[in-house]
Amino acid sequence: MSAAKKTRASKTVSGDGANSDVQLTALPPARGDVSFREMDRAEIEEMLLRNRVGRLAFSFHDRVDVQPIHYVYERGWLYGRTSEGDKISSLTHNQWIAFEVDEVNDVFDWKSIVIHGSFWILRPRGSPRAEELWAKAAELVSRIVPGALSENDPVAFRQTLFRIAVSDARGREAKMKRAGRTTP
């Protein structure tokens, strides 16, 4: 049990005064026990670098959708891959997205990042720069999915590489302020 969790202890004392049983029961946080704070840019980048799955939010007309997707973060860009379908059709019409990455340990012990940016489909053929970007994305994706885009690809139907320009990134963290208090 983490030190931040509140506990209630109850003990049974035997006839000779020795403690025989101790039970711990979680107490709900009291007013003022929880703090929220904004994460700085370095913390946001560290969190993006250590995670590999986030949720991509996009919209088309009157519908907003959110889908989990794996990614690699590098110098202000998110790289990943997906398959053709409704998501790509929607993003072709509206490239503006939100992307969220969370680390959740408990109700009041979490970090969350929300990114706003633009979604760009990468093509394997075209200008030298386009081919360079596609090759870079393919190499980055293969770091997290060995065999990606090869005959050993575990999800071979995902052939569309993309990158997201991170234009705005904000992070928040929730923590318990005090170490656990106990009441007998």
Side-chain angles (χ1 to χ4, degrees):
M1 182 173 288
S2 76
K5 288 188 178 179
K6 307 282 186 241
T7 59
R8 175 177 288 129
S10 63
K11 57 183 165 178
T12 306
V13 180
S14 64
D16 63 0
N19 293 341
S20 60
D21 290 334
V22 176
Q23 290 181 325
L24 299 177
T25 308
L27 290 175
R31 178 180 285 202
D33 283 354
V34 181
S35 67
F36 297 92
R37 71 173 189 86
E38 299 295 319
M39 296 168 61
D40 65 32
R41 184 65 184 197
E43 292 173 303
I44 290 169
E45 291 207 359
E46 288 170 13
M47 189 169 150
L48 288 170
L49 287 167
R50 76 175 161 257
N51 286 281
R52 296 290 179 247
V53 177
R55 282 170 300 289
L56 178 69
F58 54 96
S59 66
F60 185 61
H61 295 302
D62 61 350
R63 180 183 166 95
V64 176
D65 203 356
V66 178
Q67 294 185 4
I69 198 157
H70 62 262
Y71 74 93
V72 177
Y73 176 74
E74 186 177 274
R75 291 188 220 126
W77 293 88
L78 296 172
Y79 292 86
R81 72 176 179 158
T82 188
S83 55
E84 293 293 328
D86 291 342
K87 176 175 38 211
I88 294 298
S89 295
S90 295
L91 289 163
T92 300
H93 294 286
N94 182 8
Q95 73 187 54
W96 305 110
I97 59 91
F99 191 83
E100 182 179 32
V101 177
D102 293 317
E103 293 178 347
V104 179
N105 297 313
D106 208 343
V107 174
F108 295 115
D109 183 8
W110 52 261
K111 293 179 181 180
S112 180
I113 296 170
V114 175
I115 289 169
H116 294 101
S118 54
F119 185 95
W120 300 91
I121 295 172
L122 302 174
R123 306 284 181 208
R125 299 200 191 340
S127 72
R129 178 67 177 148
E131 291 176 10
E132 176 187 333
L133 289 172
W134 189 91
K136 177 180 184 148
E139 189 271 322
L140 290 171
V141 166
S142 70
R143 288 184 194 172
I144 61 170
V145 182
L149 303 168
S150 75
E151 63 277 354
N152 298 321
D153 194 335
V155 285
F157 60 92
R158 292 186 177 163
Q159 294 291 310
T160 303
L161 294 175
F162 65 85
R163 71 183 195 154
I164 295 170
V166 177
S167 59
D168 178 54
R170 296 176 189 217
R172 288 185 48 93
E173 178 181 29
K175 283 280 186 205
M176 296 294 288
K177 285 184 180 177
R178 298 183 269 173
R181 70 186 147 106
T182 59
T183 56

